């Protein structure tokens, strides 16, 4: 999905919804094709994983953390604060 000009991946993990940048910080693989295991999003290319709480990357990877954005799910709708995306455009 694209919000305010930024490509995002929207992730549902049990009852938790998270929004993050869509391109992996390592080599820009599409994280929308990743898988979620135990609260972490695994990249489909090299299998590094990112915390859906604070974006930290799994040990041994030289990349920065994943950018996460405030998101709220209510009655089947998802709300993302577009103002939180301004710094990454
Ligand atoms: S591109 Fe995502 S871990 Fe390498």
């Amino acid at each position: 999905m694209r919000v305010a000009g930024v490509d995002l991946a929207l992730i549902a993990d049990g009852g938790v919804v998270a929004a993050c940048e869509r391109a992996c910080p390592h080599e820009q693989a599409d994280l929308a094709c990743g898988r979620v295991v135990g609260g972490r999003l695994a990249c489909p290319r090299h299998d590094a994983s990112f915390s859906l709480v604070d974006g930290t990357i799994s040990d041994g990877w030289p990349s920065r953390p994943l950018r996460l954005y405030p998101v709220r799910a209510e009655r089947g709708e998802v709300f993302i604060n577009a103002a939180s995306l301004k710094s990454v455009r």
Side-chain angles (χ1 to χ4, degrees), residues 24 26-27 29 43 45-46 48:
C24 178
H26 180 231
E27 289 183 0
C43 178
R45 185 172 300 165
H46 301 117

Side-chain angles (χ1 to χ4, degrees), residues 24-29 31 43-50 57 61:
C24 178
H26 180 231
E27 289 183 0
Q28 290 73 54
L31 291 173
C43 178
R45 185 172 300 165
H46 301 117
D47 211 31
S49 69
F50 301 89
I57 191 168
W61 293 93

Side-chain angles (χ1 to χ4, degrees), residues 11-17 36:
I11 299 142
D13 182 25
V16 176
V17 176
V36 178

